[in-house]
Amino acid sequence: MFKAKITVTLRTSILDPQGKAVEHGLHSMGYTSVSGVRIGKHIELEVHTESRDEAERVVKEACERLLSNPVMEDFSFTLESVKRSVHAEG
Amino acid sequence: MFKAKITVTLRTSILDPQGKAVEHGLHSMGYTSVSGVRIGKHIELEVHTESRDEAERVVKEACERLLSNPVMEDFSFTLESVKRSVHAEG
C-alpha cells in the first residue's frame, strides 16, 4: 500500500483571485511583508497496489484525468510505501 | 526574502465530504485501488523579511489567524531562502 501526497498548483501565468483576496486580508491584518500568495490543492490518498510503478501510474492518471485541470494547473506528488505488517527494515 | 509553502489539512477526526466525492469519482473511473482521499489546501507566498525567525513568525501567525481553522485543521510549512542578487554559494 502506498500513501500519495499530491500538490495541485495554478500555473504562474494564471491569475489567482483567491490568493489576491488572502493577500489583501493579510495586509489588512498588518502582515505587510507578505506578497505573491497563490492557493492550490493538497490531496492525500492511499493506493492499494503491490508495486510502486503501478501506484505511480494510478496517481498520475488520477491527477491528469480528475484531480487537476491540465489547461491551467500543474501537479506533483510523492509516494510513500506503507507497510501494514510489522517487520524489521535494514 | 523567503518563500513559504504551507499545507493545511483537515484533522483526521473531521469528515471530508469533498474527499469522499473525489474518491467516488475515481472509483467510477475504474481506479478502485484508491481509498482514504482527503483534500486540503496548498498555499505559497513570499515573505519579505531579513531573518528566517521573523519570516517563520509571520507565516505561523498567518496560518493560525487566517489560513487555517484551528478547530478542524492542522497546518505545516517549509521556508526557503530566496536570494534576489546573484552570488556564489560555498
Side-chain angles (χ1 to χ4, degrees), chain A residues 18-32 34 37, chain B residues 62 65-67:
Chain A
Q18 196 188 357
K20 275 282 165 226
V22 166
E23 187 169 321
H24 188 80
L26 287 170
H27 287 183
S28 307
M29 291 164 75
Y31 302 108
T32 49
V34 172
V37 181
Chain B
R65 296 183 58 196
L66 185 72
L67 303 176

Side-chain angles (χ1 to χ4, degrees), chain A residues 31 33 38 40 42 48 61, chain B residues 31 33 38 40 42 44 48 61:
Chain A
Y31 302 108
S33 58
R38 308 279 294 176
H42 172 86
H48 301 264
E61 279 190 29
Chain B
Y31 301 109
S33 58
R38 309 278 295 174
H42 172 86
E44 299 189 7
H48 301 265
E61 279 190 29

